[in-house]
Amino acid sequence: LKGVRHVNLSQNLLTRKGVEKLMEYGTPSSFISLNISSNRLQERGIVGTLDFVAACSHVQDLNLSGNALGDAVIERLCGLLSSHCLELKGLALAQCNIGSYARGGTALGGLVGAGRILSSLDLSWNTLHGEGAQSFIRGVYDNGIVSGGKLQRLDVAWNRMGSGSHSADETRRREALITARIWGEVFKHGNTLFHLDLSYNSFNVDECEAIAEGLQSNHTLFGIHLVGNEATVDDMGFVIPLRRTAARRDGSSHCPTDALNECLTASGDAEELAAVYRHDEEDMPPVGVDVDEGDTCQGALNSLLHSVPAKQRIDHAADFARAASLIAPGAAGPPPQALKINPSLRSLAEEHGTLMSFSEEDLITER
């Protein structure tokens, strides 16, 4: 192994015996990258594997994903990496059975918090949640704010940081909200993270709102993924929590963020849209009563009547304004600034009249 710099032994059914055999061919101190992902390395008999990793004193990229290591092994691994692999920049531990106990997340938080060189970390497809997840996120906070670290890319998709649903037990909801608020603090005060994947962590609306609040003052995070949580990311990069779906009389429901556009698409024109509004009157308060915009077709139109800024397709806006005038004659339509401007639809918008005529300044601002 002397002089070897890059080693890829992934998907080779490698066990602890195979790793121990490698040690007989010399010290792997020259390794810069080591990939032994998707093998058969397990918690049992892991000592030889950990010794092998610790001997890679100059390794910069280490991939152990797809091995059933568990929290106890991760705890020991983090200690070895902190003391032996001081040049480590990239670490992949996806699908390693991390998170059953808090000790795994706590150890990772310590590694990240003190690691000034580590720039990329993959912890996807684990079960980080509760106290373990919170300890880890605090390590991310320390990395970017306290220790002056360089962690830029972080993947924690497919974990269990959120509460899952509104039927979750009280303890899990409380822990999930704390977790979300710590993420919010990371976003609010940190300026190191460049790309973050939080997909499929089952954060509910309240938790996503805590995340979104922290992101409002963040100007350095370039990309964030939130699929699989009760929020979306709009085209301006802001996190938009999905409001709880309102049940219809027929048992169906509307996706709140699409309510405005769904109504028009289903009804076809302003007159039919107004009829849909009246059909929903038993479900929603009358016009003039404050409602949570976007919950149903009526709620969507109420928000329009009140000139509440709302996401909608700009080429539908004139039809919504027409429907609003049919529902409440004499009501003023929303000013252009209350609608989300999409420059690519400007030509369509202009066909609907002066209501949708935006200045060049508006378009430049939107871009």
Side-chain angles (χ1 to χ4, degrees), residues 122-173:
D122 183 359
L123 295 176
S124 59
W125 290 95
N126 286 291
T127 58
L128 286 169
H129 67 286
E131 182 182 342
Q134 293 161 19
S135 297
F136 167 70
I137 303 167
R138 290 189 180 100
V140 176
Y141 181 95
D142 291 342
N143 180 276
I145 299 165
V146 178
S147 63
K150 299 180 179 179
L151 184 62
Q152 294 183 314
R153 299 182 181 276
L154 176 59
D155 188 347
V156 286
W158 293 97
N159 277 272
R160 295 178 55 220
M161 297 187 188
S163 61
S165 68
H166 297 287
S167 61
D169 63 83
E170 182 62 29
T171 300
R172 184 173 178 184
R173 288 200 302 270

Side-chain angles (χ1 to χ4, degrees), residues 49 68 90 95 122 139 151 161 187 224 230 250 265 280 309 318 341 347:
T49 302
Q95 202 173 354
D122 183 359
L151 184 62
M161 297 187 188
F187 301 141
I224 182 170
E230 293 188 357
D250 59 3
T265 302
D280 287 342
I341 306 170
S347 60

Side-chain angles (χ1 to χ4, degrees), residues 4-5 7 11 21 27 66 91 128 137 172 180 196 201 225 248-249 271 289 299 314 327-328 339 360:
V4 176
R5 295 167 61 84
V7 177
Q11 300 182 357
K21 191 69 176 178
T27 304
L91 177 61
L128 286 169
I137 303 167
R172 184 173 178 184
L196 175 65
N201 268 277
H225 298 275
R248 301 293 294 259
R249 285 192 297 271
E271 285 74 11
V289 176
I314 199 171
I327 297 163
L339 303 170
E360 289 298 328

Side-chain angles (χ1 to χ4, degrees), residues 97-111:
N97 291 358
I98 307 170
S100 297
Y101 303 96
R103 61 195 297 186
T106 300
L108 287 164
L111 175 67

Side-chain angles (χ1 to χ4, degrees), residues 260 273-274 277-278 281 285-291 293-294 297-310 312 317 319-335 338-339 355:
L260 286 168
L273 184 58
Y277 175 95
R278 297 187 181 99
E281 283 183 340
V287 176
V289 176
D290 290 337
V291 296
E293 71 270 13
C297 193
Q298 185 179 21
L301 283 163
N302 271 350
S303 69
L304 188 71
L305 289 170
H306 299 160
S307 298
V308 176
Q312 67 179 77
D319 292 288
F320 281 120
R322 170 63 178 157
S325 67
L326 291 173
I327 297 163
L339 303 170
L355 174 66

Side-chain angles (χ1 to χ4, degrees), residues 243-257:
R243 301 187 187 279
R244 293 178 180 82
T245 304
R248 301 293 294 259
R249 285 192 297 271
D250 59 3
S252 64
S253 60
H254 286 283
C255 178
T257 56

Side-chain angles (χ1 to χ4, degrees), residues 7 29 44 46 55 78 86 90 120 187 303 361:
V7 177
S29 57
R44 183 180 178 183
I46 197 66
C78 289
L86 303 181
S120 177
F187 301 141
S303 69
E361 184 179 354

